[in-house]
Amino acid sequence: MAAPVTAPSAARAEANRFLALIATLESPTAFDAEAARALRRRKVLLDRHGSERPAAEVAVGPVGWTHGDVQHRNVLWLDGRIAGVIDWDRIRVRPLGEEVARTATVQFGGENGFLDLERTAAFVAGYRSVVPIPVAALADAVERLWWKRMSDYWQLVFHYDRDDHSCDHLFLPAERFLIWWTGRREDVQAAFAAMP
């Protein structure tokens, strides 16, 4: 499957665009100041790690139909059993490793600025006991997700481009998580290589 990889120069240009926008604000808020600091840190990370982005434009399979946003907020429980899964707007064919990587990082990381590697390993081992995904496919998916988070500013797009502040609370925890993840990429890969 085609999996475009954002160039470091494009990610840097987007950071500069937001920094320029923040600089023009007449009355910057605390969020604006934090966002500017985070953007300057992100540019440093891009400079240091831009050459480590995934090189291939094709993701490693297997592929299949996936939900696209499996997480605790989208699973309904009744009497200790799953009663339903909601929010199917992202359903499409994609690498299964991408679904596993995204689900684990949303479920076991992010909000506190780190990934619970033990829970991630248990989740991955459990998933692989049912769906045999090769370690190489998971490793590719994890690196692609890391780079997507390195090169994407979706919360700032919502805040500044759409004037939608509903995701503001997600930006700084995501930045802390990115910094933590970048410093521990080998540990994260090891968690995703967990055997069933």
Side-chain angles (χ1 to χ4, degrees):
M1 289 196 68
V5 178
T6 303
S9 58
R12 193 178 226 305
E14 188 71 342
N16 286 334
R17 179 177 80 84
F18 284 118
L19 283 167
L21 192 153
I22 292 167
T24 66
L25 297 174
E26 288 183 21
S27 302
T29 65
F31 179 88
D32 299 322
E34 289 291 337
R37 276 192 286 278
L39 287 163
R40 287 190 289 273
R41 280 193 307 267
R42 181 85 70 94
K43 286 172 53 176
V44 170
L45 288 176
L46 286 165
D47 289 344
R48 277 190 199 146
H49 300 284
S51 63
E52 300 164 25
R53 75 188 189 281
E57 291 283 328
V58 177
V60 177
V63 300
W65 285 103
T66 62
H67 179 276
D69 194 18
V70 176
Q71 57 165 298
H72 63 280
R73 294 174 190 92
N74 292 333
V75 177
L76 304 176
W77 293 84
L78 179 64
D79 298 328
R81 301 188 73 175
I82 295 176
V85 178
I86 60 172
D87 198 15
W88 288 87
D89 64 306
R90 295 184 189 183
I91 187 171
R92 68 179 171 101
V93 174
R94 63 172 56 86
L96 299 181
E98 180 181 322
E99 181 90 335
V100 173
R102 187 179 186 285
T103 298
T105 57
V106 170
Q107 284 296 119
F108 309 119
E111 292 180 9
N112 296 316
F114 66 92
L115 180 64
D116 185 325
L117 297 175
E118 189 174 318
R119 284 181 158 185
T120 297
F123 169 77
V124 172
Y127 193 101
R128 291 181 71 209
S129 72
V130 177
V131 181
I133 301 176
V135 171
L138 286 167
D140 179 68
V142 169
E143 282 300 288
R144 287 178 185 282
L145 183 57
W146 166 74
W147 184 254
K148 179 176 173 36
R149 293 194 178 186
M150 179 75 78
S151 60
D152 188 32
Y153 308 91
W154 71 269
Q155 301 98 331
L156 298 185
V157 169
F158 273 58
H159 181 94
Y160 294 109
D161 296 344
R162 300 180 187 173
D163 197 27
D164 178 345
H165 300 246
S166 63
C167 297
D168 287 2
H169 67 288
L170 300 174
F171 179 67
L172 291 176
E175 288 299 304
R176 288 191 298 272
F177 183 37
L178 176 63
I179 291 165
W180 179 92
W181 187 351
T182 300
R184 293 165 183 84
R185 283 168 54 207
E186 289 183 12
D187 296 335
V188 173
Q189 283 290 359
F192 279 91
M195 296 300 292

